[in-house]
Amino acid sequence: MPSSTSAPHVLVQPDAAALGAAAANAVAAALREALDRQPTVRVAFAAAPSQQPTLAALAAQPGIDWRRITAFHLDEYLGLGPLAPERFGVWLSRTFFDRVPLGAVHLIETGPDPERCARSYAELLAQAPLDVVCLGIGVNGHLAFNDPPVADFHDPADVKTVELDEVCRRQQVDDGSFATLADVPRRAVTLTVPRLLAAERLFCMVTGAHKRDAVRRALLDPVGEPCPATALRTHPDCTVFLDRAAASALPPEVVRGG
């Protein structure tokens, strides 16, 4: 991971719908640019309610040859059935992957051997660089499922199995994905922080007042594993889209565009 830091381009929109439209415009432009210069493009997507406005608007964007795009996703629960609606692969398929004619979709198929799953997914990712990653920030500052206790900015792995911390698991209940904390799996497979940052371009979408402290920490705290999202500040091409609620704890000088 790069050792230097840079200021992400922070764009604040009035609400989640406006954020989704603005972020989709930016992601679509990046995809068209990449498609103009290379035969195929590889994109990894986060799965979370905060991503839905962007994905809905992105699916409606014109002028993208989806047949030349290969899709991945960032993480997946362990211990859920293959068709469980809470699975991120199932959610992304329903929300986005099934709505555009993608050339290929690589879901994280956890199966009975999580370590083998992590190795297999890492091998798929290693076949070519990721051009774009669309991600969010968790209430504990996580990126994908790199929670503070397990995040490693110098992780030698590209994909790994992790234990989810309670703050992360509670967020899944608060987001409406699970009825109770006991229903939320305790383990998951995730792309690591260095693997996320290896992508050419990052687009980070965050909505809601419940994320304002995590956003403030991500953009202002010292870069380090206690707030994994601070790693975004080491990437040379990262754009952060916030709605006003998520941006409400930021000082004005952090916001560079609107």
Side-chain angles (χ1 to χ4, degrees), residues 34-36 38-42 65-70 101-103:
L35 288 166
D36 283 345
Q38 60 199 56
T40 59
V41 171
R42 289 156 63 91
D65 187 354
W66 293 105
R67 297 166 298 178
R68 294 163 53 204
I69 295 177
T70 296
L102 288 157

Side-chain angles (χ1 to χ4, degrees), residues 82-95:
L83 299 180
E86 301 89 353
R87 283 181 67 100
F88 289 153
V90 172
W91 185 90
L92 275 167
S93 295
R94 180 177 67 248
T95 303

